[in-house]
Amino acid sequence: MIIDDNHYDLIVIGSGAGGGTLAGALSRKGKSVLVLERGGAMALEDQNVADVDLFRKDRYHPKGERWFGPDGDPFAPQTTYARGGNTKIWGAVLERMRERDFEEVALQDGISPAWPLDYAELEPYYQQAEQLYRVHGKAGVDPTEPKRKGDFLAPPKPIEPFLEPLRGALQRQGCQPYDIPISLSEDADDPSGDAQLFGLQVGEPKRLSVRDNARVLRLHVNPSGRAIRAVEADVNGDAWLFSADVVVLAAGAINTPAILMRSDNAHHPKGISNGSDQVGRNLMNLQLTSILQLATERNSGRYGRSLGINDYYWGDKNVSFPLGHIQAAGGVLQDALFAESPPVLSLVTRLMPNFGLEELASRSVAWWAMSEVLPDPHNKVYLQGDQLRINYIPNNREAHDRLVYRWIDTLKAVEADPDTHVVRSAPTHPRGEAPISVM
């Protein structure tokens, strides 16, 4: 084992939205920070992919990475081990939670418990994050928008020309579409904001170190078991040991509990911080359903996400419980999430020739329907030997189904509007749910 000569103020495990942002900020405050990143710098050509190639290769599926689902079968997760983590493929949407989201909320399937803090406490940090990540947006349009003390740094980027008439068509149906807040850089070759650009790269270079290809294996405690003293990692095949006063674990919803549980010892037989047996439990994942609409004219299929609709966020005329959020997906050839799901469409696209994919993309308008879920201790990440296993059964299903069919009804009304010419009616609206691999 190689023991690092340096001792740091902080070690941050993971360089995604949480880890990358924190590391950059603390280094600017004079702290010595080491970031342990499982991947490396992602090549520019692998970022913001907008081509049929997105469907052809196992992009954003780490080679050799296999998790096991509820049925016991292995699957290749859609995740990114790279500087910036999953912000490299996230679409750069940065929404604020609403005030009521922090309170106890009655969902269709049960009660979503209140947070131990409220929106007012986080509002200044939302403001700082939007400034840091150069979030473009327009306040005062979305009726569910929470209170804010300042406007966005910059106005929304113009959306695709064919989407503007669609915005008007939705307004005629009583909806209130708004430009979703998006992080944007000033680099034409890499326009989407991410945690490498606005986290790591704005850190203090003399204070911030990044160790690439460092897969953290376990955390080591002091003799009393009450403090973390070292981090063990595999770095390019060699075992390394790193030390710091504080260790921040920001490896995502799956790998964070996995590292804690792999760090079991005599003081912590179930893993560090797991005396309650709650580490890895209450795993939550948004329910996501993609819905396709038929465009009357060709579009490029290569554009970012644009419009949001929250008219059904807290319910609709028929129900009083929350349904969720609607979002205009990016172009079919640029949305990494769509390339993964729905499974039926993904299978079809893998069998189509390139010109067929281009035609599908150019005649499609894609939407995402998103609904929250309840915490459930049976939904969990756990270890079985060396296997990382996930037990996950979605809940709050009826509310999500209502949102999907409510939105399809809205799309049909838009298509029947004689003043709408950018989309047209079709026998069906192809749709499907995102699989567990996009967790």
Side-chain angles (χ1 to χ4, degrees):
M1 178 178 288
I2 302 171
I3 301 176
D4 190 10
D5 289 331
N6 299 305
H7 180 84
Y8 304 89
D9 292 327
L10 296 101
I11 291 174
V12 178
I13 301 170
S15 65
T21 305
L22 181 68
L26 291 177
S27 71
R28 294 194 300 275
K29 294 291 186 180
K31 301 294 184 181
S32 61
V33 182
L34 171 66
V35 175
L36 297 177
E37 170 50 54
R38 186 166 171 176
M42 181 181 285
L44 183 60
E45 59 266 24
D46 289 330
Q47 302 178 43
N48 307 301
V49 174
D51 203 348
V52 294
D53 183 57
L54 190 64
F55 291 86
R56 296 302 188 204
K57 298 180 180 179
D58 291 330
R59 282 195 182 274
Y60 315 130
H61 292 262
K63 186 177 181 180
E65 185 85 347
R66 290 294 182 269
W67 300 346
F68 291 78
D71 56 5
D73 291 337
F75 65 91
Q78 185 189 54
T79 191
T80 303
Y81 297 137
R83 293 192 182 194
N86 280 330
T87 67
K88 287 295 184 181
I89 60 172
W90 67 345
V93 176
L94 281 176
E95 289 271 19
R96 296 187 180 198
M97 291 176 64
R98 277 44 185 163
E99 290 102 332
R100 282 176 57 191
D101 285 324
F102 292 88
E103 303 170 3
E104 184 177 276
V105 177
L107 302 181
Q108 185 271 332
D109 245 13
I111 300 297
S112 178
W115 288 50
L117 70 171
D118 60 26
Y119 171 81
E121 294 176 73
L122 287 181
E123 198 281 335
Y125 300 100
Y126 274 126
Q127 192 73 23
Q128 291 179 38
E130 289 172 351
Q131 295 289 316
L132 176 64
Y133 274 77
R134 295 185 54 82
V135 176
H136 291 52
K138 183 177 182 180
V141 181
D142 173 22
T144 71
E145 182 182 32
K147 296 177 182 177
R148 51 185 306 125
K149 294 181 180 178
D151 206 344
F152 289 99
L153 179 71
K157 179 183 177 181
I159 63 176
E160 291 292 297
F162 81 93
L163 288 174
E164 279 297 351
L166 197 52
R167 187 203 302 261
L170 289 169
Q171 290 171 338
R172 289 194 294 275
Q173 299 304 319
C175 294
Q176 301 173 80
Y178 65 98
D179 294 277
I180 54 177
I182 295 179
S183 172
L184 294 170
S185 76
E186 296 179 322
D187 186 346
D189 294 325
D190 186 18
S192 297
D194 58 54
Q196 179 184 17
L197 179 63
F198 293 128
L200 300 180
Q201 290 182 197
V202 297
E204 170 51 55
K206 295 181 179 179
R207 292 282 183 175
L208 177 61
S209 302
V210 181
R211 185 64 66 102
D212 290 333
N213 304 314
R215 180 174 180 263
V216 171
L217 303 176
R218 61 190 298 122
L219 310 177
H220 292 276
V221 299
N222 65 357
S224 70
R226 298 179 64 84
I228 305 296
R229 285 291 182 250
V231 177
E232 181 181 347
D234 179 307
V235 183
N236 294 316
D238 291 324
W240 279 74
L241 203 65
F242 303 94
S243 64
D245 295 335
V246 176
V247 174
V248 177
L249 189 47
I254 306 299
N255 283 304
T256 290
I259 291 171
L260 290 172
M261 288 184 283
R262 286 194 180 107
S263 303
D264 59 314
N265 54 60
H267 293 289
H268 309 280
K270 295 180 180 179
I272 289 177
S273 299
N274 198 25
S276 64
D277 194 33
Q278 290 300 299
V279 168
R281 293 186 182 272
N282 296 299
L283 181 64
M284 299 169 71
N285 192 37
L286 280 178
Q287 295 183 79
L288 292 167
T289 294
S290 63
I291 305 165
L292 282 182
Q293 202 173 12
L294 183 61
T296 54
E297 298 181 2
R298 293 175 60 89
N299 64 73
S300 68
R302 299 169 173 84
Y303 52 88
R305 300 187 185 185
S306 53
L307 299 176
I309 295 94
N310 280 328
D311 295 88
Y312 320 117
Y313 196 84
W314 298 116
D316 66 5
K317 60 184 179 182
N318 298 317
V319 297
S320 59
F321 50 80
L323 297 182
H325 169 72
I326 298 293
Q327 193 174 110
V332 170
L333 296 178
Q334 189 166 324
D335 193 324
L337 188 55
F338 182 85
E340 185 78 7
S341 56
V344 173
L345 282 177
S346 293
L347 178 61
V348 171
T349 56
R350 292 179 197 281
L351 299 175
M352 293 176 69
N354 285 359
F355 73 86
L357 274 176
E358 290 275 3
E359 185 64 22
L360 170 67
S362 69
R363 294 290 181 176
S364 298
V365 180
W367 301 91
W368 283 107
M370 311 177 184
S371 302
E372 67 175 297
V373 297
L374 288 163
D376 181 346
H378 297 293
N379 285 340
K380 64 179 182 177
V381 180
Y382 66 103
L383 301 177
Q384 191 172 76
D386 292 333
Q387 294 180 354
L388 192 158
R389 305 186 75 92
I390 296 173
N391 187 67
Y392 191 81
I393 306 297
N395 53 49
N396 203 33
R397 301 279 294 180
E398 182 181 333
H400 184 65
D401 289 344
R402 283 179 178 271
L403 175 65
V404 170
Y405 287 108
R406 183 71 177 84
W407 185 241
I408 289 175
D409 286 343
T410 300
L411 296 182
K412 289 179 178 178
V414 165
E415 293 157 3
D417 180 358
D419 293 327
T420 302
H421 306 292
V422 292
V423 290
R424 62 184 180 188
S425 60
T428 62
H429 290 83
R431 60 187 183 276
E433 294 183 12
I436 193 173
S437 60
V438 300
M439 180 169 288

